[in-house]
Amino acid sequence: MIGPVLVCLVAVVGFGLGIWKTRLVASSQGVFAAISAGIAAMFDPALSDDEKEASIRRTGLDLIKKTGGLALRLILSLLAAAVPIYLADWLGLVPLEASMDMMLSWEFIVIVSVVAIAVGSILSRLLGGKKEAEPSEGYSAGDQMVHTLAFASPGLMRRLAASDDSLFSSKVAGVKPAGPIFITSLARGGTTALLNALHDLPNVATHRYADMPFLTAPLLWSKLGGNRSVARRERAHGDGMEIDLESPEAFDEVLWRLYWPEKYNGNKIALWRPGDIKEKARDVMRRHMSKIILLRKGDKAAGGDVHYVSKNNANIARLTVIPEMFPGAEVIVPLRHPVTHAASLLRQHENFLTRHAEDPFSRRYMNDIGHLEFGELMRPIAFEGFAPGGREPTSPDYWLAYWIAAFREIRQNGEGCHLVAQDDLRSNPQGTMDALCDRIGLDHGGVDFTKYFRPGADLGDSSVYSSELLAEAQALYEELNARAVRASVPVEA
C-alpha cells in the first residue's frame, strides 16, 4: 500500500512543478485577457468598423497563439505527473492500475488538496515580500471578460433591466421611497466623503461596488453574484480612499447615458433642460431607485422613509430637470475653494492620462460607468460660457475656468441646492453634517461624522493661475459660500 501512495505523491509533486515551471496559471490569464480584449473591441463605439475588424483579427491571432501555448503547458505538466507513474510500472515497483486507483480515490484527493493548501499558505507567508501585480480595477482577467459582456450593448442592458422588472415586479411595487438625495459637484469637490458619511445613516440606500457589472439588473445580479469576495484596495484616484464590494459608489450615470445617448455626442456632455425629460426613462430610473432601496433595506423598504442617495458629478448638468423628474428630491453641492479644487482636478487628469495609457481595461471600465472627467476619456460638460480660450487641460487655468463655468450653472439653476463648504466639513464636521441632515430631513442621531473628513486647512498655490480668472473665481466662491449650510453653533477655535 505504501508503494502506490509514494508514487502518486511524486506524481502530484511533478504536476505542481510542471505548473510552476511552465507558468500555466499566468498563461491561462493571458487567454482570458485576449478573449476580453476581442469582445471589448467588438463593442467599442469609439472604433470604426475597419478598426474593429483589424483589432479583432489581431486578437484572434493572439488568442490562437496563447491557446496553443496554454495547451502545450498543460500537456507538459500532465507528462511531469505521468512519468513517475509509468516509470514505477516499467520498473516493476508498482503496477499502473494500483497507482491510478490510488490517484482517483476520494481519500487521496481530499488529503492532497488539504496539504497543498497548507503548503501554499506557508510558502505565501515565507515569500510574502514578492507580490503579484494588482489586477486592473481589482478585476481578474475572467472578471474583465464578464464586465465586457455586461456592457456589450445598450440593448442588452435595457433587456436586463426589463428582466429585473419582470422577475421582481411585486417586490419593487411594495417599495415606498422617500425623496431621493443627489450629491453633485465637480469631481474632487468632496462628493465621495459626503457619500460615505451619508451611507452609514439608517434611512439611506446607495449603489455599492457589489452591484457591478450588471448595474441595470441589481436584484437579479444580487442573486447570481452575491458570494463574490474582493480584497479591500485603494481606488484608482490614488487619494488614499480604500474600497471593497460593500463601499458605496456612483453608478447611476450608466442610466442617464443609456436613455439620453444624444447628450454624449461629440467631445462634450450637453446640458439637460426641462424639455429633455423622457417619461419612460424617468419611470425606469424611479424603479431602479426602488430596487436599490429594496436591495439594501429589505422589509424596511416599504416604510416610506428610506432615501436613495446618488453621488454623481455629472448631475450638475441636470439641475433644471431633477426637481421635476423626482419630486421631493434634495440636491447637495459640496463647495471647495477654487484654488485647491482646480489644482486637484489637474492632478487627477494627469494621473488618469498615465493610467489610461498603461491600462486599457481601466480606460474601458471608467468609460462604461460614465466617469468621463479625466484622462483620455475627458469629456467636459458644456456649461454656458465655458470657453477654454485656447488653454489645454494640462493648464491650471483650464480647470479654474471650468470651475467658474460649473459654479455659475449652480448659481443660476441651483436655487434649491444645499451648498456645503469643504472648509466647514474640515473644521467642524459634526456640526456641519448635523445641520445638513436637519435641513434635508435625515435622521442622524448618534452618528459620528468626524471620521469621514480630513482635518486641517485646504491650502493651495494661487500663483499658478491668471489674476483675472482668480479674481472671478474668488468672487463667485464668496457669493456661494455665503449661502452654505452651517452649524447653528460654530466650533470653537
Side-chain angles (χ1 to χ4, degrees):
M1 189 68 178
I2 296 297
V5 172
L6 288 176
V7 171
C8 290
L9 287 176
V10 172
V12 169
V13 171
F15 185 65
L17 288 173
I19 291 174
W20 177 38
K21 288 295 186 181
T22 63
R23 297 180 59 81
L24 180 66
V25 174
S27 178
S28 65
Q29 291 174 342
V31 171
F32 275 118
I35 295 171
S36 180
I39 295 172
M42 220 186 307
F43 296 105
D44 191 343
L47 297 178
S48 67
D49 289 342
D50 289 342
E51 290 171 327
K52 287 180 181 180
E53 183 179 349
S55 178
I56 292 170
R57 190 182 300 114
R58 288 194 303 270
T59 300
L61 293 173
D62 186 40
L63 183 59
I64 292 171
K65 176 182 174 183
K66 287 180 176 177
T67 303
L70 178 63
L72 178 60
R73 287 172 169 83
L74 180 59
I75 290 170
L76 290 173
S77 298
L78 291 172
L79 285 174
V83 166
I85 293 176
Y86 281 94
L87 184 61
D89 180 63
W90 181 68
L91 293 174
L93 299 175
V94 179
L96 176 65
E97 294 80 4
S99 295
M100 294 305 298
D101 288 344
M102 176 60 65
M103 183 72 76
L104 297 175
S105 68
W106 68 265
E107 297 97 332
F108 183 82
I109 293 171
V110 170
I111 293 171
V112 168
S113 298
V114 171
V115 171
I117 292 171
V119 170
S121 177
I122 293 169
L123 289 176
S124 176
R125 291 173 184 172
L126 292 175
L127 304 175
K130 187 176 181 180
K131 296 182 179 179
E132 294 292 329
E134 286 287 331
S136 176
E137 298 296 337
Y139 276 31
S140 67
D143 291 333
Q144 290 180 28
M145 186 168 65
V146 173
H147 171 99
T148 302
L149 289 170
F151 286 90
S153 74
L156 172 62
M157 297 171 75
R158 292 192 188 97
R159 284 192 291 273
L160 285 170
S163 298
D164 214 37
D165 292 343
S166 177
L167 288 170
F168 301 97
S169 58
S170 59
K171 290 185 177 181
V172 174
V175 177
K176 296 181 180 179
I181 298 169
F182 296 88
I183 303 170
T184 189
S185 184
L186 286 183
R188 313 304 302 160
T191 52
T192 299
L194 262 176
L195 176 67
N196 288 334
L198 293 182
H199 173 254
D200 284 347
L201 298 180
N203 294 340
V204 158
T206 72
H207 268 291
R208 294 177 184 170
Y209 282 95
D211 300 327
M212 283 289 289
F214 295 98
L215 294 172
T216 57
L219 295 175
L220 178 60
W221 176 235
S222 72
K223 305 297 183 184
L224 300 176
N227 295 321
R228 294 176 299 154
S229 177
V230 176
R232 193 165 180 82
R233 61 183 176 84
E234 185 179 10
R235 66 179 188 158
H237 300 70
D239 53 8
M241 286 192 175
E242 293 190 338
I243 56 173
D244 57 24
L245 289 180
E246 296 306 306
S247 300
E249 180 50 313
F251 289 130
D252 50 24
E253 183 64 12
V254 170
L255 297 175
W256 290 101
R257 198 174 179 190
L258 187 61
Y259 293 101
W260 282 269
E262 70 278 4
K263 294 292 183 182
Y264 299 83
N265 291 332
N267 58 1
K268 292 184 179 180
I269 300 172
L271 295 168
W272 273 249
R273 293 307 185 217
D276 294 322
I277 295 176
K278 300 176 182 179
E279 291 187 10
K280 183 177 179 180
R282 178 197 59 196
D283 293 342
V284 168
M285 296 190 75
R286 287 179 178 175
R287 280 198 303 275
H288 186 84
M289 293 175 180
S290 292
K291 291 177 187 178
I292 297 299
I293 290 174
L294 178 63
L295 187 57
R296 301 283 103 91
K297 299 300 178 181
D299 294 339
K300 192 177 179 181
D305 59 352
V306 178
H307 303 261
Y308 171 83
V309 174
S310 160
K311 186 218 79 170
N312 187 343
N313 301 324
N315 277 335
I316 296 182
R318 306 169 187 124
L319 295 178
T320 61
V321 301
I322 284 175
E324 186 175 346
M325 289 181 64
F326 310 105
E330 304 284 359
V331 180
I332 304 170
V333 181
L335 176 64
R336 188 177 184 183
H337 195 280
V339 167
T340 49
H341 199 163
S344 185
L345 288 165
L346 174 57
R347 282 195 302 273
Q348 281 304 314
H349 178 59
E350 292 172 339
N351 170 35
F352 278 97
L353 280 174
T354 301
R355 188 176 182 87
H356 291 160
E358 295 176 348
D359 185 355
F361 180 74
S362 176
R363 182 184 184 280
R364 168 75 194 236
Y365 176 92
M366 301 300 281
N367 181 63
D368 285 339
I369 64 175
H371 285 199
L372 309 176
E373 297 100 335
F374 304 118
E376 295 177 1
L377 297 171
M378 194 192 75
R379 202 179 298 187
I381 297 171
F383 296 117
E384 293 179 5
F386 175 54
R391 305 181 190 96
E392 293 296 322
T394 51
S395 158
D397 277 350
Y398 176 96
W399 293 103
L400 190 59
Y402 192 50
W403 186 97
I404 291 169
F407 282 89
R408 276 179 180 164
E409 175 71 15
I410 291 166
R411 179 179 63 185
Q412 180 177 339
N413 294 306
E415 183 178 351
C417 295
H418 307 288
L419 292 155
V420 185
Q422 186 168 133
D423 287 345
D424 292 337
L425 291 170
R426 286 171 171 263
S427 63
N428 185 12
Q430 192 66 43
T432 304
M433 286 300 299
D434 285 348
L436 175 64
C437 289
D438 289 340
R439 178 76 67 88
I440 63 178
L442 270 180
D443 178 15
H444 55 93
V447 175
D448 177 15
F449 289 114
T450 59
K451 60 184 176 181
Y452 298 104
F453 304 98
R454 294 177 179 174
D458 188 24
L459 303 176
D461 180 9
S462 61
S463 66
V464 299
Y465 305 105
S466 71
S467 57
E468 182 180 351
L469 275 179
L470 189 60
E472 185 177 0
Q474 181 66 33
L476 180 56
Y477 173 78
E478 290 175 359
E479 179 184 345
L480 294 174
N481 191 40
R483 291 171 41 189
V485 176
R486 290 200 164 83
S488 55
V489 180
V491 68
E492 293 183 7

